[in-house]
Amino acid sequence: SLALSFALKGSAHMIEADILLRGCDPIEPIMAHPPQNDSDITLREWLKEVMPSGKGIKLDFKRLSQYLHTGFF
């Protein structure tokens, strides 16, 4: 996504992102901020791109159910 590319190239030390659940098959965590309800990048894809950058991350889960679908627990 364009926003992720910009954040990775920027001078900021942290990247904040909002997580929602895609409501259709497959139900999966995606990177989107309400009122958006779909995205071109999943949480898994986002993490694969961000982790090698060495930047800190803040994940904003809008609902507990979104966290439970990540498999982080």
Side-chain angles (χ1 to χ4, degrees):
S1 112
L2 184 58
L4 178 56
S5 240
F6 181 75
L8 290 173
K9 292 176 185 173
S11 62
H13 297 283
M14 298 283 297
I15 300 174
E16 185 270 339
D18 297 307
I19 300 168
L20 298 175
L21 278 183
R22 180 175 284 145
C24 57
D25 286 332
I27 295 175
E28 62 185 333
I30 58 171
M31 309 312 289
H33 187 279
Q36 299 296 324
N37 60 5
D38 204 359
S39 174
D40 62 348
I41 188 167
T42 66
L43 172 59
R44 186 176 306 280
E45 294 165 338
W46 189 88
L47 289 171
K48 282 182 182 179
E49 291 203 34
V50 173
M51 297 304 286
S53 75
K55 293 182 182 266
I57 60 172
K58 176 186 177 259
L59 301 176
D60 186 1
F61 295 89
K62 299 300 184 187
R63 294 191 181 112
L64 177 60
S65 62
Q66 294 155 349
Y67 174 74
L68 296 175
H69 275 83
T70 64
F72 289 157
F73 55 93

